[in-house]
């Protein structure tokens, strides 16, 4: 049981290049999330997926696209990377069970992205 | 969405009890209060969650007054390994239409 896994761990891009960050969870969770974390700041939600086949924007979606490929996998794509997208990206998942039951998010180890 | 306010940083010594208070004046009726811990170069990790009164687990206690406008995370007898950033979140599960918002967090430094 690996929990939430992310690939790659580290990536350097040039401005304008594209790339996809991969995330997978093996906990049979319904909800998955992508966050970014900049130095000295908390996490900001980019996109989330409440269930397979659905995605919604979070706080900072501009410049990103997502795909909920199946229940396990949720990918984040940067179509044309910009230096402002240099950050650490975290994927998370949660069971998001019945109404009123607590929501605990489980996070992956993060992907460190540097855009030059 | 309820905004949270917590101290930017706190210092403590090994063996002491640490209390981190979070203000959330606009908390909604169906919001839960959740605390996460984040070590450097790692993703956040769930610590504790509550709705009202007191919740205790093997790691921490969470105190929530009747008006729920604030909450206090209590870490008993901290050690050096408790040095981390602690986030207070207020929100409801997605299936209730809510989202979780991470603030800046409180950077706790435990000294020997």
């Amino acid at each position: 049981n690996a929990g939430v896994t992310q690939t790659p761990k580290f990536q350097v891009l040039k401005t304008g290049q594209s790339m996809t960050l991969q995330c997978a969870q093996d906990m049979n969770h319904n909800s998955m999330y992508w966050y970014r974390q900049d130095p000295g700041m908390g996490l900001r939600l980019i996109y989330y997926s409440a269930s397979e086949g659905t995605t919604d924007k979070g706080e900072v979606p501009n410049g990103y696209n997502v795909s909920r490929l199946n229940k396990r996998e949720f990918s984040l794509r940067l179509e044309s990377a910009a230096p402002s997208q240099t950050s650490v990206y975290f994927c998370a998942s949660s069971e998001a069970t019945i109404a009123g039951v607590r929501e605990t998010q489980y996070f992956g180890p993060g992907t460190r992205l540097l855009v030059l | 969405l309820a905004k949270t306010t917590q101290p930017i940083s706190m210092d403590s010594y090994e063996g002491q009890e640490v209390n981190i208070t979070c203000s959330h004046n606009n908390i909604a009726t169906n919001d839960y209060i959740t605390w996460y811990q984040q070590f450097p170069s790692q993703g956040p990790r769930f610590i504790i969650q509550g709705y009202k009164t007191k919740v205790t687990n093997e790691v921490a206690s969470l105190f929530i007054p009747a008006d729920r406008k604030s909450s206090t995370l209590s870490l008993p007898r901290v050690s050096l390994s408790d040095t981390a950033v602690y986030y207070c979140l207020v929100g409801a599960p997605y299936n209730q239409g809510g989202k979780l918002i991470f603030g800046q967090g409180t950077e706790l430094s435990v000294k020997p």
Side-chain angles (χ1 to χ4, degrees), chain A residues 33-76:
Chain A
Y33 318 81
W34 276 105
Y35 293 89
R36 62 176 288 174
Q37 185 173 36
D38 300 306
M41 297 182 69
L43 285 79
R44 291 184 291 172
L45 183 64
I46 305 172
Y47 270 94
Y48 66 97
S49 170
S51 63
E52 185 179 351
T54 67
T55 60
D56 284 287
K57 296 179 180 178
E59 294 177 80
V60 289
N62 291 343
Y64 306 95
N65 285 302
V66 290
S67 295
R68 184 74 183 267
L69 305 170
N70 47 55
K71 193 171 186 179
R72 288 188 65 249
E73 298 171 290
F74 189 38
S75 62
L76 178 72

Side-chain angles (χ1 to χ4, degrees), chain A residues 37 43 88 90 107-110 112, chain B residues 37-45:
Chain A
Q37 185 173 36
L43 285 79
V88 180
F90 290 101
F107 285 80
R112 283 149 187 78
Chain B
Q37 175 192 56
Q38 185 179 26
F39 297 113
S41 302
Q42 294 186 26
R45 183 179 71 132

